[in-house]
Amino acid sequence: MAEDRTHTGPGEHLDPGGRATVGEQQQPEERFVRERAEPPAPETDPASPTQPEDEVARLRAQVAELEDRWRRTAAELDNLRKRVARDSERQRLDERGRVAAAWLPVVDNLDLALTHADADPGSIVQGIRAVRDQALTVLAGLGYPRRDDHGMAFDPTRHEAVSTRADTEAKPGTVVEVLRPGYGDADRQLRPATVVVAARAADDGSRDERDRG
């Protein structure tokens, strides 16, 4: 009997039952499936910096930016300080010039009064009084008017008492005499007034007892 030979393809062989089994032919397919299931590892570039080096570079850039901002802010503050100092000095000079200019007419009138010193004494007195009134007007214009504190209640913030006087006609604690007038108000006072304050007068019985003693 002729031998029954069944040709198998390359990579196949017959099992004892005569069935062909897959051998080396399926190995390339299995390797292909494995390669598709496992993604390839990313390629590393030796020339690219590592992650810690990137973080250090980023932090250095932030530090440089903050330092630049700090320097700019410090320069702006210094310029502002210098500008405020210049403006303040200019304002002080302008204010001093304004006050000095307000007194120039007073000085002019004093010079005029001295020029007529040989004239009638009465006219000299009138001229001096006019200059005084003009000076008071200047002071009032500057915010420091002259006060009339006679008969006012004593106020330690507005008055400076140098003595007391027994006065039966004045209420105790009131100003009975102004030795040197004050200028300005309570908020802007140039000088307090120097005054004499009324004290309580002793009654007649007390006086008689003192006299007998």
Side-chain angles (χ1 to χ4, degrees), residues 9-26:
E12 296 181 357
H13 63 277
L14 295 177
D15 59 4
R19 295 187 298 271
T21 60
V22 178
E24 296 179 357
Q25 183 179 3
Q26 290 184 349

Side-chain angles (χ1 to χ4, degrees), residues 12-106:
E12 296 181 357
H13 63 277
L14 295 177
D15 59 4
R19 295 187 298 271
T21 60
V22 178
E24 296 179 357
Q25 183 179 3
Q26 290 184 349
Q27 292 179 358
E29 295 180 359
E30 293 176 359
R31 186 169 58 251
F32 177 72
V33 172
R34 231 177 12 253
E35 290 177 355
R36 292 188 59 185
E38 299 178 357
E43 298 181 357
T44 58
D45 187 3
S48 62
T50 59
Q51 184 175 1
E53 294 178 354
D54 291 341
E55 184 68 15
V56 170
R58 185 180 66 83
L59 292 177
R60 287 179 177 175
Q62 289 182 355
V63 170
E65 182 181 359
L66 292 175
E67 184 177 0
D68 181 68
R69 291 182 180 178
W70 174 79
R71 293 182 182 275
R72 292 176 181 271
T73 303
E76 292 176 358
L77 289 177
D78 185 64
N79 293 333
L80 177 62
R81 179 184 60 81
K82 293 178 180 179
R83 183 167 61 254
V84 170
R86 289 194 301 268
D87 294 343
S88 299
E89 182 64 21
R90 186 181 303 110
Q91 290 178 358
R92 284 194 295 267
L93 293 176
D94 293 343
E95 185 66 19
R96 290 172 62 182
R98 186 177 69 87
V99 173
W103 285 100
L104 289 178
V106 178

Side-chain angles (χ1 to χ4, degrees), residues 77-163:
L77 289 177
D78 185 64
N79 293 333
L80 177 62
R81 179 184 60 81
K82 293 178 180 179
R83 183 167 61 254
V84 170
R86 289 194 301 268
D87 294 343
S88 299
E89 182 64 21
R90 186 181 303 110
Q91 290 178 358
R92 284 194 295 267
L93 293 176
D94 293 343
E95 185 66 19
R96 290 172 62 182
R98 186 177 69 87
V99 173
W103 285 100
L104 289 178
V106 178
V107 176
D108 293 338
N109 287 333
L110 287 174
D111 291 338
L112 185 62
L114 292 175
T115 302
H116 298 82
D118 296 335
D120 181 41
S123 62
I124 297 297
V125 173
Q126 293 178 359
I128 294 176
R129 184 177 292 109
V131 173
R132 192 274 310 272
D133 294 340
Q134 188 178 18
L136 294 178
T137 302
V138 172
L139 286 172
L142 295 175
Y144 301 104
R146 185 174 183 173
R147 300 195 311 264
D148 183 10
D149 294 325
H150 189 274
M152 303 293 294
F154 176 77
D155 185 353
T157 63
R158 296 164 55 93
H159 305 138
E160 181 181 352
V162 294
S163 65

Side-chain angles (χ1 to χ4, degrees), residues 15 76 97 121 125 140-141 156 167-168 170 177 183 199 204-205 209:
D15 59 4
E76 292 176 358
V125 173
D167 193 332
T168 57
E177 183 179 359
Y183 295 88
D204 296 338
E209 290 179 0

